Amino acid sequence: DPIFYIWRRMKTLAKYTIAILMGASTFAPAMDEDGWASIYESIAAFEDRPGGDARIFNRPGYVKPIIENLGNVLNSNWYVSANVPQSLNFEFGLPISLIPIGDDDRTFSEKDVFGNSRDVPTIFGDKWDATADPANLNNFVYGNETLNGLGVFTYPYLQIGVSAFHARVVLRGMWLPAVSELRGFSLLGFGLQYSFGRWFQYMLPPAAHGLDVSLVFGYNSSSIGYRPKDYDGQLDLDVSATTFDLVIGYKPFNFFEVMMTLGYQSATMESSGHLEFKENPTGMFINPNISVDGNCGFKFGIAIALQLGKSYHPVVGFDYAGKSSFTTNILYLRQQFGEDKTPDEIAKEKGYVRGAKKEDKANETAEKNSATEEASDEAQQELSQETEQPAEPEPSEPAEDIE
């Protein structure tokens, strides 16, 4: 029925018009004068409030780029070589991982009140464009001005490590006191690595002696406290990140190594705390309570490590885990105390003849066994002959003269 169809379309258009007008009327005072999201709008995304305005509350997609970038940063730089020496080794440095903020960090897909998907700004997104949308009919919560200005994402920390007997332990951490709006920052992480090269290197041809394989585990726990201006209380973000990596490395020269990584990582951001707007504490308050996952899945990476002198050990590389990141670990020191045995020395100790055929080895073993058996037979024959030979009679004493 054409009349019924027109009536349905008019009802749909009326719903859209009411939603747009209501959204525009509530949005106008919330957005700042330059078109950026207000502090309240930015932080309200961290709260799942029953009956709250879906336009600003419980929006994990809006803040997801924070944990996606932070998780990738924390899950990198856990290794500086595929080889972990037998001898004592000590390392120290300030690893740096840089992640470019791209277009995928600035928008995400979200459903409107009618269930239709649309691309909307994230907390890293752009501000309201008054030229393209003078009446703000899009009814968006736009990006945060501070985060929008970031071109790259990074996270500072110190890292130390010690290794021996092909096992390596790594610790990383950072702590900052409350300064201005930052109410606290802490990071603590530990990692483990074990290399398996000594089990097979001595059996490889000389050109492949530089090949090594190791397994790496890394875990991070970080906390961030934030109190915006004109607010009481604070927003607390607790971040955890975990990675499991298989690292394959090859050293064509003692001072140069190429590495490839295959692994799996995960990252989660838990929000908590309480914020109140000083001028309206009962009407404008936020109780952050949502959890947001970062890039959880498989990862791939390539890197180059140099050993310059006895201690300088820079590493540069590229990782991909849902998005690209660059390892610029140029402030790193690594010192080895002692010398490890070479694959040739290990092969000699084990009696391994590299390149010998199995038949030759079998023949050599048979010859050794045959020679041993012959020597045993000869010894047995000599012993038998000594046993069968009659004993010489003892000389008799002369008879005494009888007077």
Side-chain angles (χ1 to χ4, degrees), residues 12-189:
T12 302
L13 290 174
K15 288 181 181 180
Y16 271 100
T17 302
I18 293 171
I20 290 172
L21 291 176
M22 290 180 63
S25 63
T26 58
F27 182 81
M31 182 174 60
D32 72 14
E33 59 184 8
D34 295 321
W36 298 104
S38 66
I39 295 297
Y40 187 83
E41 287 179 313
S42 297
I43 300 180
F46 287 100
E47 180 183 356
D48 182 6
R49 179 178 297 184
D53 185 356
R55 189 182 62 84
I56 61 173
F57 288 105
N58 192 24
R59 304 182 69 220
Y62 183 72
V63 297
K64 190 178 180 70
I66 297 175
I67 185 59
E68 286 184 332
N69 288 281
L70 185 53
N72 282 15
V73 168
L74 294 178
N75 282 324
S76 64
N77 286 318
W78 278 115
Y79 61 91
V80 293
S81 174
N83 172 258
V84 180
Q86 168 80 13
S87 54
L88 181 64
N89 195 85
F90 178 77
E91 61 191 71
F92 171 81
L94 182 66
I96 300 174
S97 185
L98 301 175
I99 302 180
I101 302 298
D103 293 339
D104 56 336
D105 294 306
R106 304 192 186 279
T107 61
F108 74 105
S109 180
E110 184 179 59
K111 291 184 178 180
D112 60 19
V113 293
F114 303 106
N116 300 315
S117 296
R118 59 178 183 172
D119 290 337
V120 298
T122 68
I123 199 169
F124 287 88
D126 294 328
K127 66 178 181 178
W128 171 49
D129 186 352
T131 303
D133 183 21
N136 189 29
L137 297 180
N138 287 326
N139 193 27
F140 291 159
V141 173
Y142 290 92
N144 178 275
E145 182 177 8
T146 301
L147 295 181
N148 177 264
L150 294 178
V152 294
F153 193 98
T154 189
Y155 207 63
Y157 53 85
L158 297 172
Q159 182 166 295
I160 61 174
V162 62
S163 63
F165 302 103
H166 307 285
R168 174 172 171 260
V169 178
V170 184
L171 296 176
R172 61 171 52 164
M174 182 62 77
W175 177 85
L176 293 175
V179 178
S180 185
E181 295 181 354
L182 178 67
R183 305 313 302 164
F185 168 83
S186 65
L187 166 67
L188 181 64

Side-chain angles (χ1 to χ4, degrees), residues 105-325:
D105 294 306
R106 304 192 186 279
T107 61
F108 74 105
S109 180
E110 184 179 59
K111 291 184 178 180
D112 60 19
V113 293
F114 303 106
N116 300 315
S117 296
R118 59 178 183 172
D119 290 337
V120 298
T122 68
I123 199 169
F124 287 88
D126 294 328
K127 66 178 181 178
W128 171 49
D129 186 352
T131 303
D133 183 21
N136 189 29
L137 297 180
N138 287 326
N139 193 27
F140 291 159
V141 173
Y142 290 92
N144 178 275
E145 182 177 8
T146 301
L147 295 181
N148 177 264
L150 294 178
V152 294
F153 193 98
T154 189
Y155 207 63
Y157 53 85
L158 297 172
Q159 182 166 295
I160 61 174
V162 62
S163 63
F165 302 103
H166 307 285
R168 174 172 171 260
V169 178
V170 184
L171 296 176
R172 61 171 52 164
M174 182 62 77
W175 177 85
L176 293 175
V179 178
S180 185
E181 295 181 354
L182 178 67
R183 305 313 302 164
F185 168 83
S186 65
L187 166 67
L188 181 64
F190 73 92
L192 302 172
Q193 182 177 1
Y194 192 85
S195 65
F196 302 90
R198 73 186 190 284
W199 292 355
F200 60 82
Q201 287 173 333
Y202 69 92
M203 295 185 288
L204 301 176
H209 282 176
L211 182 66
D212 209 334
V213 177
S214 63
L215 291 177
V216 178
F217 165 80
Y219 172 79
N220 302 272
S221 177
S222 181
S223 297
I224 306 169
Y226 173 67
R227 179 193 297 163
K229 184 181 178 181
D230 299 326
Y231 279 79
D232 289 325
Q234 72 179 45
L235 165 68
D236 294 315
L237 298 178
D238 296 316
V239 176
S240 61
T242 307
T243 184
F244 297 89
D245 300 326
L246 171 68
V247 183
I248 302 172
Y250 177 68
K251 285 185 177 180
F253 312 102
N254 288 333
F255 63 89
F256 181 83
E257 182 177 10
V258 180
M259 294 173 283
M260 182 182 72
T261 306
L262 299 172
Y264 184 89
Q265 72 170 32
S266 63
T268 302
M269 177 174 63
E270 301 274 353
S271 64
S272 60
H274 177 76
L275 286 165
E276 295 178 354
F277 186 53
K278 292 180 179 179
E279 296 182 1
N280 185 11
T282 58
M284 295 183 66
F285 63 91
I286 304 171
N287 294 310
N289 59 2
I290 69 170
S291 174
V292 185
D293 292 331
N295 289 318
C296 302
F298 292 99
K299 60 188 291 189
F300 168 80
I302 54 175
I304 295 174
L306 300 174
Q307 183 68 42
L308 304 178
K310 292 185 177 181
S311 57
Y312 185 45
H313 192 88
V315 181
V316 293
F318 168 83
D319 293 326
Y320 184 83
K323 62 181 307 176
S324 302
S325 62

